[in-house]
Amino acid sequence: MKRLAILLWLTAACAEQPQTVVHATIRDSAGIQVIENTAPLWTDSAGWTVDSLPLMDIGSEGDSGEQFGRLQDVLRLPDGRLIVAEGDAAQLRLFSDSGNYIRSVGRKGEGPGEFVGLGLIRPYRADSLMVYDYQLRRITVIDQEGKLGRMINLRPPGGTYPSVEGAM
């Protein structure tokens, strides 16, 4: 009985394992290796799919607070709400976790709480957000309800435009 179990185990260990078929060609281009994939490594059943039902649907034809012209950035807050930076209107728009429009913050201009080149929105410190205006070269700090905290001017010498990706 022991011999049979060992023989079966050895046979299973030596059995041919399924091979992964790679559909790729490798060529050299001026000393740089170029790999071209001609087919995916996964089957149709293992590929990604997109659900037919959206998690959230925002925007409508009627309410101007829900229409978008130039979408600059979107940030999901920890509680599920969304803040959308709408560049054409120079506004931040707050939506509930179910996609309902709550309110807009900001407008076109150069004063406090106003924007000219509304850019990105990023988390800032524990409970605040930073909004970058690339035209004014200014960061506006707001709370998660959209209330103005302070503004930070970024005017480096030489008239360059700083690139802001986030804050600590």
Side-chain angles (χ1 to χ4, degrees):
M1 191 66 144
K2 279 187 173 179
R3 282 187 176 170
L4 180 60
I6 292 171
L7 182 60
L8 287 174
W9 178 76
L10 286 173
T11 305
C14 295
E16 193 173 307
Q17 298 297 316
Q19 298 293 316
T20 302
V21 178
V22 178
H23 300 281
T25 58
I26 302 172
R27 62 183 171 87
D28 184 84
S29 174
I32 298 173
Q33 189 178 44
V34 177
I35 302 172
E36 294 180 76
N37 293 308
T38 58
L41 290 176
W42 55 87
T43 63
D44 287 342
S45 63
W48 290 2
T49 60
V50 176
D51 199 330
S52 61
L53 296 174
L55 293 175
M56 184 183 297
D57 188 7
I58 61 174
S60 73
E61 294 295 322
D63 188 352
S64 64
E66 294 189 54
Q67 294 177 1
F68 299 97
R70 186 170 37 104
L71 190 67
Q72 291 298 110
D73 201 3
V74 177
L75 177 68
R76 183 180 288 273
L77 298 173
D79 63 5
R81 291 178 299 155
L82 288 181
I83 293 190
V84 179
E86 205 316 295
D88 284 348
Q91 291 180 331
L92 300 171
R93 297 190 181 153
L94 184 62
F95 293 87
S96 71
D97 60 348
S98 60
N100 295 321
Y101 172 73
I102 299 172
R103 77 176 140 281
S104 295
V105 176
R107 63 181 181 204
K108 291 181 182 182
E110 297 184 21
E114 298 176 338
F115 306 99
V116 175
L118 186 56
L120 59 85
I121 311 164
R122 294 289 183 271
Y124 181 68
R125 307 277 167 122
D127 59 353
S128 298
L129 305 169
M130 63 165 256
V131 182
Y132 180 58
D133 188 313
Y134 60 88
Q135 288 291 325
L136 296 176
R137 292 177 263 178
R138 179 175 75 191
I139 292 173
T140 300
V141 179
I142 61 172
D143 69 11
Q144 292 187 10
E145 302 302 319
K147 294 179 186 145
L148 181 64
R150 67 181 183 276
M151 296 181 306
I152 305 164
N153 286 313
L154 303 174
R155 303 229 182 241
T160 60
Y161 284 82
S163 175
V164 175
E165 296 300 324
M168 296 173 61

